[in-house]
Amino acid sequence: DIQMTQSPSSLSASVGDRVTITCRASQGISTWLAWYQQKPEKAPKSLIYAASSLQSGVPSRFSGSGSGTDFTLTISSLQPEDFATYYCQQYFSYPLTFGGGTKVEIK
Amino acid sequence: EVQLVESGGGLVQPGGSLRLSCAASGFTFSDHYIDWVRQAPGKGLEWVGRSRNKANSYTAEYAASVNGRFTISRDDSKNSLYLQMNSLKTEDTAVYYCARDVGGRSSGYYFDYWGQGTLVTVSS
């Protein structure tokens, strides 16, 4: 199985800050990586696929990069509605696997 | 508008069975792969399994943790996906989500829409 490791597991940031979350795969997955946002008691929301492509309707302050084993999710200017937990996920091979999540909290 | 609505969750004893449903609307259900993903209380996301579409013979994939106990099926005439869960364990307690896949063989299949989830509690 491909292990997905996210860091940090949590972070505190202020509105307007630039935030970067990293995700590392235990083996190469090309760009077959997605990012999801989840708010408390809500279903996940799809943000990014193919490592850097934004899902329809996702604000442009979100961006993704990387290939192979190392990936990043960047929020260029954190907004109040962005405080949530973020998960990466590989869909290169079965079983599909998720990172452990990064909780973005208000500083 | 794409919608996925899960139902069928509830309280069940260890060793028992439960069948979850995922009702889809707003898109051509038969064209899409659909997955089940779960989330134990206070924990992260865990993939459960996938149903491929008619063009791919409705074949399924499962996580090792549920293989042999859970079965995914679908009824395209009812735009519905099912998860039959047998021999339930306390560690199966989770919110279960269905999620629609998009993509293709050359780009891979990834989730775009998720349902709101249904809670399954396995406890005596």
Side-chain angles (χ1 to χ4, degrees), chain A residues 1-4 29 32-34 36 88-99, chain B residues 33-38 44-52 60-66 72 99-102 107-112 114:
Chain A
D1 299 4
I2 298 176
Q3 308 302 316
M4 305 302 291
I29 59 170
W32 293 31
L33 182 105
Y36 305 97
C88 62
Q89 179 235 334
Q90 65 82 18
Y91 50 95
F92 181 80
S93 67
Y94 295 109
L96 309 186
T97 47
F98 292 87
Chain B
Y33 293 14
I34 309 287
D35 289 54
W36 288 100
V37 176
R38 68 184 180 183
L45 301 170
E46 179 188 16
W47 177 74
V48 173
R50 165 171 288 172
S51 169
R52 295 186 180 88
E61 300 285 345
Y62 298 95
S65 58
V66 307
I72 297 174
R100 188 182 82 160
D101 289 287
V102 290
S107 60
Y109 292 89
Y110 48 89
F111 311 143
D112 62 350
W114 298 66

Side-chain angles (χ1 to χ4, degrees), chain B residues 17-37:
Chain B
S17 297
L18 206 59
R19 187 197 198 205
L20 305 184
S21 299
C22 170
S25 60
F27 64 99
T28 304
F29 182 76
S30 59
D31 285 348
H32 288 265
Y33 293 14
I34 309 287
D35 289 54
W36 288 100
V37 176

Side-chain angles (χ1 to χ4, degrees), chain A residues 1-77:
Chain A
D1 299 4
I2 298 176
Q3 308 302 316
M4 305 302 291
T5 303
Q6 283 183 240
S7 61
S9 57
S10 66
L11 65 91
S12 295
S14 301
V15 172
D17 285 353
R18 181 181 182 88
V19 169
T20 298
I21 298 168
T22 65
C23 177
R24 175 165 288 176
S26 60
Q27 63 189 75
I29 59 170
S30 184
T31 56
W32 293 31
L33 182 105
W35 290 96
Y36 305 97
Q37 176 194 65
Q38 187 178 34
K39 297 180 180 179
E41 309 306 318
K42 297 292 187 182
K45 173 187 174 182
S46 300
L47 295 179
I48 286 172
Y49 63 96
S52 61
S53 297
L54 258 60
Q55 290 278 3
S56 176
V58 174
S60 59
R61 63 181 179 273
F62 289 92
S63 64
S65 65
S67 67
T69 60
D70 295 310
F71 303 87
T72 60
L73 172 70
T74 299
I75 308 173
S76 61
S77 178

